[in-house]
Amino acid sequence: VSVGKQKIGLGRGDFIGELALLGNRRRQADVTALGYCQLLVLREEDFRKLLATDPAIRAQIDKVAADRRQKNEMESAPS
Protein backbone atom coordinates (compact mmCIF):
# COMPACT_ATOMS: atom_id res chain seq x y z
CA VAL A 1 0.00 0.00 0.00
CA SER A 2 1.40 3.39 -0.98
CA VAL A 3 0.26 6.48 0.89
CA GLY A 4 2.34 9.38 -0.33
CA LYS A 5 5.97 8.30 0.19
CA GLN A 6 5.02 5.74 2.82
CA LYS A 7 4.93 2.05 1.86
CA ILE A 8 3.00 -0.42 3.99
CA GLY A 9 3.16 -4.17 3.50
CA LEU A 10 0.06 -6.29 3.92
CA GLY A 11 -0.36 -10.02 4.12
CA ARG A 12 -2.83 -12.85 4.22
CA GLY A 13 -6.14 -11.83 5.78
CA ASP A 14 -5.49 -8.08 5.65
CA PHE A 15 -8.07 -5.73 4.23
CA ILE A 16 -8.06 -2.40 2.43
CA GLY A 17 -10.56 0.38 1.79
CA GLU A 18 -12.00 0.62 5.29
CA LEU A 19 -10.78 4.19 5.85
CA ALA A 20 -12.63 5.43 2.79
CA LEU A 21 -15.80 3.59 3.76
CA LEU A 22 -15.71 4.60 7.43
CA GLY A 23 -14.91 8.23 6.58
CA ASN A 24 -17.31 8.38 3.63
CA ARG A 25 -14.56 9.71 1.36
CA ARG A 26 -12.46 8.71 -1.61
CA ARG A 27 -9.54 6.38 -1.09
CA GLN A 28 -6.16 7.99 -0.53
CA ALA A 29 -3.82 5.05 -1.11
CA ASP A 30 -2.72 2.92 -4.04
CA VAL A 31 -2.34 -0.84 -3.68
CA THR A 32 0.02 -2.95 -5.77
CA ALA A 33 0.20 -6.73 -5.53
CA LEU A 34 3.71 -8.16 -5.53
CA GLY A 35 2.47 -11.62 -6.40
CA TYR A 36 -0.64 -13.69 -6.85
CA CYS A 37 -3.49 -12.71 -4.56
CA GLN A 38 -7.15 -13.50 -4.22
CA LEU A 39 -9.30 -10.46 -3.53
CA LEU A 40 -12.83 -10.41 -2.20
CA VAL A 41 -15.04 -7.38 -2.70
CA LEU A 42 -17.60 -6.22 -0.18
CA ARG A 43 -20.05 -3.58 -1.36
CA GLU A 44 -20.50 -0.56 0.90
CA GLU A 45 -24.05 -1.55 1.80
CA ASP A 46 -22.91 -5.03 2.85
CA PHE A 47 -19.92 -3.59 4.73
CA ARG A 48 -22.24 -1.38 6.78
CA LYS A 49 -24.60 -4.30 7.49
CA LEU A 50 -21.66 -6.40 8.65
CA LEU A 51 -20.47 -3.68 11.02
CA ALA A 52 -23.97 -3.30 12.43
CA THR A 53 -24.50 -7.01 13.04
CA ASP A 54 -21.09 -8.15 14.32
CA PRO A 55 -19.56 -6.09 17.15
CA ALA A 56 -16.35 -8.15 17.17
CA ILE A 57 -15.68 -7.46 13.50
CA ARG A 58 -16.60 -3.80 14.01
CA ALA A 59 -14.11 -3.55 16.89
CA GLN A 60 -11.31 -5.15 14.85
CA ILE A 61 -11.92 -2.93 11.82
CA ASP A 62 -12.11 0.18 14.04
CA LYS A 63 -8.79 -0.79 15.69
CA VAL A 64 -7.01 -1.31 12.37
CA ALA A 65 -8.49 1.91 10.98
CA ALA A 66 -7.34 3.91 14.02
CA ASP A 67 -3.83 2.47 13.73
CA ARG A 68 -3.69 3.31 10.03
CA ARG A 69 -4.97 6.84 10.60
CA GLN A 70 -2.30 7.40 13.24
CA LYS A 71 0.45 6.11 10.93
CA ASN A 72 -0.81 8.32 8.09
CA GLU A 73 -0.85 11.37 10.36
CA MET A 74 2.68 10.67 11.61
CA GLU A 75 3.93 10.29 8.04
CA SER A 76 2.30 13.52 6.87
CA ALA A 77 3.45 15.58 9.87
CA PRO A 78 6.18 18.13 9.09
CA SER A 79 9.68 17.05 10.14
Side-chain angles (χ1 to χ4, degrees):
V1 179
S2 301
V3 181
K5 295 179 182 178
Q6 183 180 15
K7 304 283 187 198
I8 304 163
L10 300 178
R12 180 179 296 237
D14 284 330
F15 50 85
I16 56 174
E18 80 291 346
L19 292 177
L21 288 171
L22 291 171
N24 197 27
R25 60 184 181 185
R26 294 181 57 91
R27 66 174 180 75
Q28 297 183 2
D30 293 318
V31 179
T32 304
L34 300 177
Y36 175 81
C37 58
Q38 183 175 9
L39 303 175
L40 304 175
V41 176
L42 188 61
R43 295 179 324 165
E44 181 179 1
E45 176 184 345
D46 296 326
F47 176 74
R48 299 213 180 278
K49 284 180 186 177
L50 177 64
L51 295 183
T53 59
D54 194 320
I57 290 177
R58 174 67 192 236
Q60 179 63 23
I61 290 174
D62 284 345
K63 179 185 180 311
V64 170
D67 291 345
R68 289 179 179 173
R69 279 189 204 103
Q70 182 180 21
K71 287 179 185 176
N72 291 346
E73 289 171 5
M74 289 172 52
E75 178 66 26
S76 64
S79 302

